[in-house]
Amino acid sequence: MSRTPAATVAVLGFCPVDRLLLESRQAGSRTPADLQRAASGLPGSHHVVVSSGGTVRAWGTLAHTRRLSHGAGPLASNRADLLAVGATVLDETALALRLLLPGVPHPLSETTVWRGVRALPGDHFLELTPDGRARTGRRWSPPRPELTRAQAAVLLREALCTAVQTRVETGAVVSCDLSGGLDSTPVAYLAWQRATRLVALTLTGLTSKDDDTAAAVRAAGHMPGADHRLIGADGLPHALEGLFDTRPATTSRSRACRARASWNWRASPGRPAPGCT
């Protein structure tokens, strides 16, 4: 958090930026719009809340790893259910989609399961004013295609390297997904370069024509010493399996998360799976 007599900036989540750097970026900012520009582009995965003159602006991440929800009043939360308590009813269509599908496709995933509670798009901010009003506005737009593919590749590589370096301590033991696709593969490789031991997990048999598994195996071959584990999708529990058990293995409905919790328990009985609570 960075605070001056005129304004306050709070970063909630992971951000490898110390308070002094945040204060230097905030210097000279007076309005919420000024603060938004100063706090934009911070690395990491976090929510940002800025306040000036009683007006608050808040936003999450473009990739929706950190989301905000808001309702009719001047309230916002990273949990839609808190905004729904006693004030709204379930959206049965949105709920049915989440029960039937392991992953709701875009743009249907942009909704919440409560009527009257809206999810803030990742490229927007939410502004709350002292008179109780709330409005949203765009905070990011795709850049103009002015760079060549080679120039953009350099920037992408630098961004990925910075992101992984700030999250993975040198010499650490790290686990990550390795689907064989263009997103997980470079991240796994960069993590392997820094970690003492990399445990890479690949779900197999997700489709009848599973080309990704072969790609993941080839990629793991370029990471000597990596512990590459293949988990068959046909052995995963159903998304709602065990929901009414007296002691469910995990409170998450994610099939992948449940599988990881099950695998972790078999490997180390009694120890919970990190991130699967």
Side-chain angles (χ1 to χ4, degrees):
M1 176 182 289
S2 172
R3 179 176 294 169
T4 68
T8 299
V9 176
V11 180
L12 310 176
F14 175 79
C15 181
V17 174
D18 60 25
R19 182 175 57 85
L20 294 178
L21 179 57
L22 194 58
E23 288 178 350
S24 67
R25 295 185 61 151
Q26 182 184 346
S29 299
R30 294 292 181 269
T31 68
D34 293 337
L35 293 169
Q36 178 187 319
R37 286 189 289 269
S40 293
L42 292 174
S45 177
H46 49 258
H47 292 93
V48 180
V49 182
V50 301
S51 175
S52 177
T55 296
V56 174
R57 281 193 183 187
W59 59 91
T61 57
L62 285 173
H64 295 158
T65 53
R66 303 277 182 162
R67 302 203 65 169
L68 275 181
S69 295
H70 60 102
L75 294 174
S77 176
N78 66 329
R79 289 180 52 182
D81 59 328
L82 296 181
L83 300 175
V85 173
T88 59
V89 296
L90 283 172
D91 184 332
E92 295 181 356
T93 301
L95 179 60
L97 283 171
R98 285 159 174 78
L99 294 176
L100 291 173
L101 301 175
V104 181
H106 178 80
L108 299 176
S109 60
E110 301 301 298
T111 63
T112 73
V113 297
W114 290 276
R115 298 185 186 277
V117 179
R118 297 180 295 278
L120 183 71
D123 55 1
H124 279 60
F125 65 81
L126 175 68
E127 183 175 273
L128 308 176
T129 58
D131 57 4
R133 292 181 299 170
R135 75 177 186 92
T136 63
R138 183 176 290 275
R139 69 176 184 89
W140 181 87
S141 296
R144 295 177 60 86
E146 298 173 338
L147 300 178
T148 65
R149 182 176 299 181
Q151 291 172 324
V154 172
L155 296 178
L156 176 60
R157 181 173 64 245
E158 291 176 351
L160 286 176
C161 289
T162 300
V164 174
Q165 288 172 4
T166 55
R167 295 301 295 264
V168 178
E169 296 181 3
T170 302
V173 177
V174 178
S175 68
C176 67
D177 293 326
L178 179 57
S179 68
L182 293 177
D183 49 358
S184 67
T185 302
V187 172
Y189 183 79
L190 292 172
W192 167 78
Q193 289 183 318
R194 292 180 61 83
T196 297
R197 178 183 172 216
L198 176 72
V199 181
L201 304 178
T202 301
L203 291 179
T204 65
L206 293 174
T207 63
S208 58
K209 186 178 180 181
D210 185 7
D211 297 332
D212 286 346
T213 297
V217 171
R218 288 196 302 271
H222 293 278
M223 307 177 208
D227 186 358
H228 187 206
R229 310 227 172 179
L230 304 179
I231 302 176
D234 55 353
L236 295 183
H238 186 270
L240 300 181
E241 185 176 328
L243 181 64
F244 299 105
D245 291 350
T246 56
R247 296 183 64 185
T250 172
T251 56
S252 171
R253 292 196 299 268
S254 165
R255 299 178 71 203
C257 191
R258 286 177 62 85
R260 185 174 299 178
S262 176
W263 170 83
N264 186 83
W265 183 88
R266 288 196 297 269
S268 304
R271 297 181 60 187
C276 294
T277 58

